[in-house]
Amino acid sequence: MKRDTPYAGSRRDLFRTVGAGIVATGLSTLPTNLSAQGAPQDGLMPPKERPLPPSERVGYAIVGLGEYGTQQIIPSFAECGKSRLAAVVSGTPEKAQRIAREYGVPQAAIYDYKTMERLKDNPDVQVIYVILPNALHLEYTVRAARIGKHVLCEKPMATSVKDAETMIHECAKAGRKLMIGYRAQYEPYNLKSIELARGGTLGKLKSIVADHGRTLNPAEPRDIWRAKKALAGGGSLMDIGIYSLNACRYLTGEEPVSLQATQYSTPGDPRFAEVEETIHFMLRFPSGVLANCTASYGWQETKRYQVFGDKMALELDPATDYYEHRLTLTDKQGRKDIQVDKGNQFARMLDHFSDCVKNNKTPKTPGEEGLRDLKLMLAIYEAAKTGRTLRV
Ligand code: NDP
């Protein structure tokens, strides 16, 4: 069985759909009031649509054939109904040839970083999906927009506010759409958690705890650039703390008003010469919700959050895995598992953007969403450096 990234902690071949709608399983003896709240609810999952024929699907060029692009995104086109892989852009010709062969991309649709502008003349490609090291997102987004293509760009959107603003500006100037690949916002367990948190099931929201950790392994190509500030922009916060931060924002539907932070890197560990190992940050939201978040490159496989209300607590653990999720609700009487029709979050995200492109809609996670997180992450670094509470 193929292993995904260490951070994924799950396998594609374990992926399966577990029935339609939401099913409250009988794992606990929770009272009927909770059962009722956790019961199947219509309307969360979009109705199954007929897949479009290939000629009507939105064509994507993937820029950067790294771990995430080749292990998660490219295979997920098979589960899309509105999107298809139409081209690849890579600096590694053998890899580009292999991927093109495996996924039926024509020879003429293989590009490198110098020839990328030729995509302008490829009518099969409407979207360029930038899956490169963070600091390169600016250049490739701007180049894509300037040749008239819509852009899907990975998180973190950029490494500076100026870069992110330029990306938004250039796409707007070219009349092209820009979306950031916040896959969790298309993932059914996270969508159910948002519904429960914002819909009142938990009572008045009081606190959120969100943690993300993995160990940085410099033996892996994907972690070499992540240890370099110039390419990554930062450490565990930029890479995985962004999941904790984004979750607090989508679970509350609010923007934080102030924040505090502290960070620590093991002295002498060469992995953390340029980027931080561990960072803790606290956010205060206008409604009074307090969020405690952590991110670390020094501990294993953590990707979870808990939301505490005055009636009930919600836990999603794992929350931001590629394929595994476990949602539980707890109240005075006990704990209950909630199961949700899984769906493939990558395919859902791709099809959402394709729908926006085809029907001229604004994406749910546009460039502005990436810019908000980026400004907050830079403020978190500032708070950690100065030890001050920052109003944001
Ligand atoms: P990888 O290192 O595995 O892949 C990056 C690819 O970019 C390389 O394989 C290479 O592809 C290309 N590249 C071009 N220039 C450089 C360079 N100077 N140094 C290194 N690579 C270069 O990284 P990931 O796939 O893990 O991450 C890529 C992006 O995707 C990041 O922004 C990351 O944050 C994001 N990501 C998002 C995830 C999510 O869940 N949303 C999960 C994982 C990553 P080639 O050989 O084809 O030129």
Side-chain angles (χ1 to χ4, degrees), residues 73-392:
I73 298 301
I74 291 179
S76 294
F77 281 104
E79 293 179 54
C80 287
K82 298 178 182 167
S83 321
R84 69 185 183 94
L85 178 65
V88 291
V89 182
S90 171
T92 315
E94 319 77 60
K95 190 168 49 174
Q97 287 290 342
R98 178 174 55 78
I99 296 287
R101 225 176 15 253
E102 281 175 16
Y103 291 93
V105 173
Q107 277 290 318
I110 302 175
Y111 303 81
D112 62 29
Y113 299 120
K114 287 200 185 90
T115 57
M116 189 184 107
E117 268 68 20
R118 290 194 200 142
L119 276 165
K120 186 175 184 195
D121 305 318
N122 185 341
D124 286 347
V125 173
Q126 288 89 52
V127 174
I128 291 185
Y129 189 172
V130 179
I131 319 185
L132 294 166
N134 307 338
L136 305 179
H137 294 177
L138 166 73
E139 176 188 340
Y140 288 86
T141 296
V142 170
R143 286 172 64 183
R146 287 186 180 169
I147 55 169
K149 306 295 179 180
H150 302 283
V151 184
L152 179 52
C153 177
E154 259 318 311
K155 48 56 57 180
M157 174 181 185
T159 55
S160 76
V161 168
K162 185 166 163 268
D163 286 3
E165 286 174 344
T166 303
M167 291 161 71
I168 292 171
H169 174 74
E170 288 279 340
C171 289
K173 195 169 82 181
R176 302 292 90 180
K177 296 184 191 302
L178 171 62
M179 178 167 126
I180 309 303
Y182 283 110
R183 60 181 170 82
Q185 294 203 41
Y186 302 90
E187 189 285 313
Y189 277 90
N190 281 274
L191 293 177
K192 183 63 185 167
S193 299
I194 293 169
E195 182 190 301
L196 292 166
R198 293 206 215 162
T201 301
L202 312 182
K204 179 161 171 42
L205 298 191
K206 297 288 181 178
S207 291
I208 299 175
V209 174
D211 306 300
H212 284 84
R214 71 175 187 87
T215 48
L216 195 74
N217 179 2
E220 297 283 350
R222 68 170 170 269
D223 281 353
I224 295 172
W225 66 262
R226 280 179 166 89
K228 294 184 179 144
K229 183 140 195 271
L231 277 174
S236 57
L237 174 62
M238 283 274 189
D239 191 27
I240 51 178
I242 190 171
Y243 296 122
S244 296
L245 173 63
N246 199 246
C248 292
R249 294 181 46 241
Y250 60 67
L251 288 164
T252 57
E254 296 176 31
E255 297 299 333
V257 288
S258 70
L259 56 85
Q260 294 167 276
T262 186
Q263 70 180 55
Y264 181 79
S265 300
T266 307
D269 188 328
R271 293 176 301 168
F272 309 120
E274 297 185 24
V275 300
E276 82 282 359
E277 177 180 3
T278 301
I279 188 157
H280 289 212
F281 54 98
M282 191 166 92
L283 310 168
R284 188 164 65 77
F285 288 88
S287 62
V289 171
L290 296 179
N292 270 309
C293 303
T294 61
S296 182
Y297 272 160
W299 69 60
Q300 277 297 0
E301 286 307 309
T302 307
K303 37 193 141 181
R304 66 181 183 205
Y305 56 68
Q306 294 169 308
V307 189
F308 303 105
D310 62 4
K311 286 197 197 135
M312 215 175 276
L314 175 156
E315 180 176 64
L316 190 59
D317 182 7
T320 54
D321 190 72
Y322 293 155
Y323 298 100
E324 299 293 316
H325 299 86
R326 186 171 181 203
L327 175 60
T328 54
L329 291 177
T330 308
D331 72 359
K332 261 196 280 196
Q333 279 114 334
R335 191 178 171 94
K336 192 172 192 76
D337 271 9
I338 307 294
Q339 282 191 6
V340 177
D341 183 342
K342 285 185 177 180
N344 174 318
Q345 60 188 305
F346 312 105
R348 283 165 168 269
M349 177 180 75
L350 290 163
D351 275 350
H352 170 78
F353 195 45
S354 297
D355 188 44
C356 293
V357 166
K358 277 181 97 62
N359 299 305
N360 195 22
K361 294 182 194 163
T362 302
K364 183 175 152 188
T365 52
E368 288 76 4
E369 174 79 352
L371 177 59
R372 261 178 233 128
D373 274 350
L374 187 60
K375 283 183 174 170
L376 287 166
M377 288 191 292
L378 296 176
I380 289 166
Y381 283 133
E382 176 68 13
K385 202 165 95 187
T386 60
R388 292 201 332 260
T389 299
L390 294 190
R391 298 209 146 267
V392 285

